[in-house]
Amino acid sequence: MFIRDTSEGYGIISRLFHWLMAIAIIAMFILGLWMVGLDYYSPYYNSAPDIHRSVGMLLLFALLVRWIWRVANVKPSDRELSPLEQKASYAVHWGFYVLLLVLMASGYLISTAGGEPISVFGWFSVPSILQMHGLESRAGYVHRILAYATIALAAVHAAAALKHHYLDKSPVLTRMWSGPPPVESLVQEKENRQ
């Protein structure tokens, strides 16, 4: 099992970041849709937003660590993709990073515009750094639009991965699911090419 990424696939750290963040982001979207419909008398009126804020702050931290990990690792080869697909892949991946950063920053501003810190599951607090009357409603609008944009981009990303896997018979999805092939397979493949 590879810890770090190689030119042939993603290591366990990148794969865990990818799949855990994907699950968490989809769950956060569903939680966000559900909690905006809660009324004051719901038993989840306060706890659902607290969970949403706490997970959001943990995801922001994970996103920053993931960026550092991505920069510190080799990027797996995308030689099986056409030049246009390579450019699209690059745009989608970095688009995700920018979308997620602004999405999480806007969520932070919704919660801290009044000067209150965000308590992350009672473990620690993230202080408010910008207090401004009315900022929470503008940040809320941005947050909502970007949440839908993120889910739409995730759907495109998933559809492209499935297309590469099933139609093109490309290892793109396999690399993110099971990582680089064993060293013996790489040696055998190299020998077969010669």
Side-chain angles (χ1 to χ4, degrees):
M1 177 185 312
F2 291 90
I3 303 290
R4 297 181 62 97
D5 301 346
T6 71
S7 61
E8 299 301 320
Y10 295 97
I12 189 69
I13 302 294
S14 291
R15 288 183 285 133
L16 282 173
F17 268 124
H18 178 273
W19 293 111
L20 292 176
M21 286 187 74
I23 291 165
I25 288 164
I26 291 167
M28 288 285 280
F29 181 75
I30 293 167
L31 176 60
L33 287 177
W34 176 71
M35 72 183 197
V36 295
L38 297 175
D39 65 17
Y40 182 75
Y41 299 103
S42 169
Y44 304 107
Y45 183 76
N46 289 315
S47 62
D50 286 344
I51 292 168
H52 193 81
R53 283 188 287 265
S54 292
V55 173
M57 288 297 96
L58 294 177
L59 279 171
L60 177 58
F61 176 72
L63 179 67
L64 299 176
V65 173
R66 187 174 180 186
W67 273 351
I68 293 166
W69 185 257
R70 172 99 189 244
V71 170
N73 276 270
V74 173
K75 182 185 178 297
S77 171
D78 55 4
R79 63 184 169 270
E80 66 278 343
L81 301 179
S82 72
L84 179 61
E85 288 172 331
Q86 289 175 2
K87 288 179 180 141
S89 172
Y90 181 84
V92 166
H93 284 96
W94 285 102
F96 262 130
Y97 289 138
V98 172
L99 263 176
L100 290 171
L101 179 63
V102 178
L103 176 69
M104 293 172 201
S106 63
Y108 166 81
L109 291 174
I110 294 167
S111 299
T112 61
E116 293 294 317
I118 296 174
S119 173
V120 179
F121 293 116
W123 302 334
F124 60 91
S125 291
V126 179
S128 171
I129 57 171
L130 178 66
Q131 293 104 45
M132 184 185 303
H133 179 70
L135 179 61
E136 63 276 2
S137 58
R138 285 178 283 184
Y141 176 76
V142 169
H143 192 71
R144 184 173 49 256
I145 297 299
L146 293 182
Y148 282 104
T150 300
I151 294 302
L153 191 59
V156 169
H157 177 65
L162 292 171
K163 178 250 185 205
H164 291 307
H165 186 75
Y166 290 108
L167 298 180
D168 302 340
K169 306 297 184 203
S170 161
V172 170
L173 183 58
T174 306
R175 287 193 314 231
M176 186 50 81
W177 188 255
S178 57
V183 175
E184 307 83 53
S185 298
L186 295 175
V187 170
Q188 184 66 40
E189 183 181 321
K190 187 176 180 182
E191 289 172 0
N192 290 343
R193 279 191 243 153
Q194 292 176 348

